[in-house]
């Protein structure tokens, strides 16, 4: 196996570990934001396992606070978080809250109120430019929150100010899921690629469960081009066969049977 | 009045809205990607042509509501309290409040009843809505009041903000209980008392539990339920406060700008010098957690009312303890 093949294999395993951790975290209370972690496992694996994002140097904005479970799950695997902390996820007075807040570790900004993250990321990018520092800015955004108009105010601003954005990268988990069901059934946001392109962004569309494609897309970031948005097309349950398609993608009820089936499937993938 | 733990019911608001809408074709229901969470799934299923989901776009929703109302509709706008007040305040002000339109904004998960942390906890929604001219502010305490409030706010001309507990709603009052949008209600005590507790919404169970303990300890108590925070029934409040040694307001909201502030204004303008203690969320953003945990940590429990009453009266006996009322699935107990 070449070094690159090994790296891809490692990222795939990391994504499976993210799903396993997240499943165990949601099992603590028997309900929670599991769909988000399952759909975004490869995105978090590539962001925090590929070495492209430099923790403590680059800035990371997690726009949808409900996804913080995926961040915790990956952070415990790459040495950024004590794995024992995962056991308290969502409990009263726990450090790891179910929806990110101002005390959430590991992020420069997390927003529980949706549609606000990209604006904050642009603030970081401007600050980096003003200070003349070597920092990249990464913003994780979800698809449903693009219904909020603020997303597009931010997108317009970033393109207009592209010379002051440095390396600004937006990764979107396009899982077609929001509280009321598929995004397509609530308010359509497609065609996303054309929208972002027309707002002045460089757009890459990838299979969001393909770590190789995600890594390549991320590696193409550049300070000399338009800001980059990666549309990571994913499935809400991350292609887990154990979960029925009828399960709630936003806030799942995970009974013991479902939990066991999911853990068995993930452990088999890791064996 | 019933005794705790209170029986609970599901979707009293959603059912009442659907029943009213069946009789009144001008009613439209708007939502923003929280349909089941705002009890409006039954409206969507029964009257799909009058249910509109705008997606996650509250500012747009308020503008749409304004247009519909200008064209003659009575519009019920439903989402979480944070998202229909702080998120789109200017749109509420300009599209709804200023033109005094028939838009009824219903905000769920008041105060610390949300486990979702500051982004999901409406701790200043009453303050924001109360500050808008033309806007009335309603906070029912139980399922009976919720059901009656739906028709009452539809009948009241102009904009209304109503904050509602999400999910299981307790039944506190007896069947004969009547909600009056013009009146605060005396729930316990009358005439002279040591303590006058003025409460609203989710603090009513704690106020009643505290009153029982105080009465058992030879402290006279009056309890007022204030389901309409604006326009405030200052007459009833001032009358009750006039013959009390101290007044305690209890609200699942910041102590700045909500019920406590409204009562303070009424008492001061009436020239009453009675000591006032505002019990509510201090001037802080809270955190994630269960209702029980958050109500205790941020001082919204029965014991907190007892402590404030005891200190306020300057009693040198030990403060009595709040009863521990076991909650169970299908029942609601105050913290």
């Amino acid at each position: 196996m070449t070094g690159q093949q090994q790296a891809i294999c490692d990222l795939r395993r990391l994504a499976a570990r993210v799903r396993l951790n997240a499943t165990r975290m949601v099992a603590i209370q028997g309900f929670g934001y599991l769909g988000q972690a399952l759909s975004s496992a490869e995105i978090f694996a590539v962001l925090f396992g590929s070495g492209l994002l430099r923790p403590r140097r680059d800035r990371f904005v997690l726009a949808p606070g409900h996804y913080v479970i995926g961040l915790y799950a990956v952070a415990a695997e790459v040495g950024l978080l004590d794995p024992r902390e995962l056991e308290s996820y969502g409990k009263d007075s726990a450090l790891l809250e179910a929806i990110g807040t101002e005390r959430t570790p590991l992020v420069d900004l997390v927003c529980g109120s949706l549609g606000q993250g990209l604006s904050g990321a642009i603030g970081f990018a401007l600050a980096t430019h003003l200070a003349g520092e070597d920092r990249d800015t990464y913003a994780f955004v979800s698809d449903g929150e693009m219904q909020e108009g603020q997303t597009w105010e931010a997108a317009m601003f970033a393109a207009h100010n592209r010379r002051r954005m440095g390396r600004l990268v937006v990764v979107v988990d396009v899982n077609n899921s929001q509280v009321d069901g598929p995004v397509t059934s609530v308010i359509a946001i497609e065609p996303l690629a054309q929208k972002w392109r027309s707002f002045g962004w460089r757009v890459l569309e990838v299979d969001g469960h393909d770590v190789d494609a995600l890594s390549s897309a991320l590696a193409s970031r550049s300070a000399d081009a338009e800001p980059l948005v990666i549309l990571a097309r994913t499935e809400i349950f991350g292609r887990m066969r154990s979960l029925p398609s009828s399960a709630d993608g936003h806030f799942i009820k995970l009974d013991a049977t479902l939990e066991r089936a999911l853990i068995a499937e993930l452990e088999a993938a890791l064996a | 009045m019933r005794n705790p733990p209170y029986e609970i019911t599901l979707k009293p608001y959603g059912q009442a809205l659907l029943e009213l809408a069946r009789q009144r074709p001008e009613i439209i229901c708007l939502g923003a990607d929280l349909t089941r969470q705002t009890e409006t799934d039954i409206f969507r299923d029964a009257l799909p042509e009058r249910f509109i989901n705008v997606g996650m776009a509250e500012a747009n929703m308020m503008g749409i509501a304004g247009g519909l109302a200008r064209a003659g509709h009575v519009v019920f706008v439903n989402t979480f309290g944070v998202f229909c007040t702080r998120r789109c305040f200017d749109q509420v002000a300009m599209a709804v409040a200023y033109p005094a339109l028939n838009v009824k904004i219903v905000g769920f998960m008041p105060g610390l009843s949300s486990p979702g942390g500051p982004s999901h906890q409406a701790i200043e929604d009453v303050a924001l809505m109360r500050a808008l001219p033309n806007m009335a502010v309603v906070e029912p305490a139980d399922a009976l009041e919720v059901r009656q409030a739906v028709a009452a706010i539809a009948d009241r001309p102009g904009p209304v903000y109503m904050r509602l507990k999400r999910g299981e709603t307790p039944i506190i009052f007896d069947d004969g209980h009547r909600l009056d949008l013009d009146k605060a209600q005396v729930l316990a005590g009358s005439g002279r008392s040591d303590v006058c507790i003025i409460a609203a919404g989710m603090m009513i169970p704690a106020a009643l539990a505290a009153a029982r303990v105080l009465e058992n300890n030879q402290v006279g108590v009056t309890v007022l339920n204030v389901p309409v925070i604006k326009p405030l029934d200052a007459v009833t409040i001032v009358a009750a406060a006039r013959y009390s040694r101290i007044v305690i307001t209890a609200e699942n909201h910041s102590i700045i700008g909500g019920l406590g502030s409204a009562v303070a204004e009424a008492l001061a303008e009436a020239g009453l010098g009675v000591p006032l203690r505002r019990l509510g969320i201090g001037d802080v953003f809270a955190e994630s957690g269960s209702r029980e945990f958050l109500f205790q940590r941020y001082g919204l429990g029965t014991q907190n009312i007892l402590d404030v009453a005891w200190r306020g009266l300057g009693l040198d006996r030990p403060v009595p303890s709040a009863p521990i009322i076991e909650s169970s699935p299908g029942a609601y107990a105050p913290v």
Side-chain angles (χ1 to χ4, degrees), chain B residues 43-96:
Chain B
F43 191 114
R44 173 198 62 199
D45 296 343
L47 300 171
E49 72 285 0
R50 284 154 64 193
F51 173 85
I52 296 153
N53 191 344
V54 306
M56 234 184 280
E58 297 75 13
N60 186 37
M61 177 161 65
M62 292 302 170
I64 292 172
L68 283 163
R70 282 177 195 268
H73 288 288
V74 173
V75 188
F76 280 74
V77 176
N78 307 276
T79 182
F80 290 158
V82 283
F83 302 139
C84 57
T85 59
R86 63 162 88 131
R87 176 146 203 138
C88 49
F89 189 64
D90 190 48
Q91 281 80 9
V92 173
M94 290 299 103
V96 173

Side-chain angles (χ1 to χ4, degrees), chain A residues 177-232:
Chain A
S177 172
Q178 62 184 115
V179 173
D180 277 349
V183 174
T184 44
S185 74
V186 179
I187 292 290
I189 56 173
E190 300 286 356
L192 279 179
Q194 285 95 316
K195 279 196 176 74
W196 283 92
R197 212 166 275 134
S198 72
F199 271 71
W201 287 60
R202 188 162 69 93
V203 182
L204 293 176
E205 274 190 284
V206 300
D207 174 350
H209 298 307
D210 180 342
V211 293
D212 192 14
L214 279 168
S215 301
S216 303
L218 213 54
S220 78
R221 69 215 185 291
S222 163
D224 300 323
E226 297 92 343
L228 171 63
V229 57
I230 300 170
L231 301 175

Side-chain angles (χ1 to χ4, degrees), chain A residues 228-241:
Chain A
L228 171 63
V229 57
I230 300 170
L231 301 175
R233 302 274 175 187
T234 64
E235 292 173 30
I236 180 62
F237 294 123
R239 297 178 187 153
M240 293 291 100
R241 289 184 304 276

Side-chain angles (χ1 to χ4, degrees), chain A:
Chain A
M1 204 184 276
T2 66
Q4 196 189 348
Q5 284 168 330
Q6 183 62 47
I8 288 165
C9 185
D10 288 347
L11 286 173
R12 280 190 194 132
R13 288 182 65 80
L14 181 56
R17 296 284 313 166
V18 167
R19 292 196 173 96
L20 194 57
N21 285 347
T23 303
R24 291 185 173 135
M25 290 158 79
V26 166
I28 295 171
Q29 311 221 35
F31 48 77
Y33 304 111
L34 181 59
Q36 289 83 343
L38 296 179
S39 73
S40 64
E42 281 82 9
I43 299 173
F44 278 109
V46 170
L47 280 171
F48 289 90
S50 67
L52 291 166
L53 186 158
R54 300 162 295 179
R56 286 179 278 274
R57 173 179 290 271
D58 296 334
R59 289 208 168 99
F60 180 65
V61 173
L62 181 61
H66 310 68
Y67 273 83
V68 76
I69 182 173
L71 175 67
Y72 300 151
V74 75
E77 294 295 324
V78 299
L80 291 171
L81 180 71
D82 182 345
R84 284 171 300 184
E85 287 284 352
L86 301 183
E87 294 162 20
S88 66
Y89 169 75
K91 290 183 179 169
D92 289 343
S93 77
L95 175 67
L96 306 188
E97 297 169 285
I99 298 176
T101 68
E102 282 299 315
R103 73 179 196 198
T104 298
L106 306 163
V107 288
D108 293 287
L109 169 66
V110 57
C111 305
S113 183
L114 300 179
Q116 305 192 21
L118 182 52
S119 303
I122 290 168
F124 283 128
L126 284 171
T128 297
H129 176 78
L130 288 169
E133 292 171 337
D134 169 29
R135 293 180 199 273
D136 299 343
T137 308
Y138 293 88
F140 180 110
V141 174
S142 68
D143 53 357
E145 65 180 325
M146 283 184 216
Q147 290 168 348
E148 295 285 3
Q150 185 176 347
T151 306
W152 303 103
E153 297 174 23
M156 202 184 310
F157 178 96
H160 183 82
N161 290 279
R162 50 177 277 205
R163 283 180 182 76
R164 295 195 278 171
M165 290 295 102
R167 296 208 292 196
L168 171 64
V169 181
V170 171
V171 184
V172 187
D173 180 13
V174 190
N175 62 13
N176 195 31
S177 172
Q178 62 184 115
V179 173
D180 277 349
V183 174
T184 44
S185 74
V186 179
I187 292 290
I189 56 173
E190 300 286 356
L192 279 179
Q194 285 95 316
K195 279 196 176 74
W196 283 92
R197 212 166 275 134
S198 72
F199 271 71
W201 287 60
R202 188 162 69 93
V203 182
L204 293 176
E205 274 190 284
V206 300
D207 174 350
H209 298 307
D210 180 342
V211 293
D212 192 14
L214 279 168
S215 301
S216 303
L218 213 54
S220 78
R221 69 215 185 291
S222 163
D224 300 323
E226 297 92 343
L228 171 63
V229 57
I230 300 170
L231 301 175
R233 302 274 175 187
T234 64
E235 292 173 30
I236 180 62
F237 294 123
R239 297 178 187 153
M240 293 291 100
R241 289 184 304 276
S242 318
L243 288 177
S245 57
S246 58
D248 189 327
H250 178 75
F251 193 80
I252 201 170
K253 283 197 173 59
L254 191 70
D255 63 25
T257 313
L258 214 50
E259 177 200 335
R260 273 195 302 273
L262 198 51
I263 286 177
E265 182 180 349
L266 287 162
E267 283 177 342
L270 283 163

Side-chain angles (χ1 to χ4, degrees), chain B residues 2-25:
Chain B
R2 295 158 188 249
N3 290 317
Y6 299 107
E7 196 184 321
I8 52 121
T9 185
L10 292 173
K11 305 195 176 182
Y13 165 73
Q15 285 162 2
L17 182 60
L18 176 58
E19 283 162 27
L20 189 70
R22 285 190 199 281
Q23 300 156 24
R24 302 199 22 192

Side-chain angles (χ1 to χ4, degrees), chain B residues 254-328:
Chain B
S254 166
I255 57 167
I256 295 175
L259 175 67
S261 296
V263 168
E265 292 158 14
L267 299 185
E269 288 188 347
L272 257 62
V274 57
L276 170 68
R277 302 280 184 272
R278 289 170 302 153
L279 192 141
I281 303 160
D283 191 15
V284 293
F285 287 105
E287 64 196 279
S288 308
S290 63
R291 173 180 66 97
E292 292 76 7
F293 169 77
L294 293 174
F295 271 45
Q296 263 164 17
R297 175 169 285 203
Y298 291 90
L300 303 181
T302 306
Q303 188 63 51
N304 300 102
I305 299 178
L306 293 172
D307 291 347
V308 168
W310 225 250
R311 274 202 306 277
L313 292 170
L315 299 172
D316 51 12
R317 294 173 277 153
V319 188
S321 295
I324 294 165
I325 303 168
E326 288 297 327
S327 193
S328 60

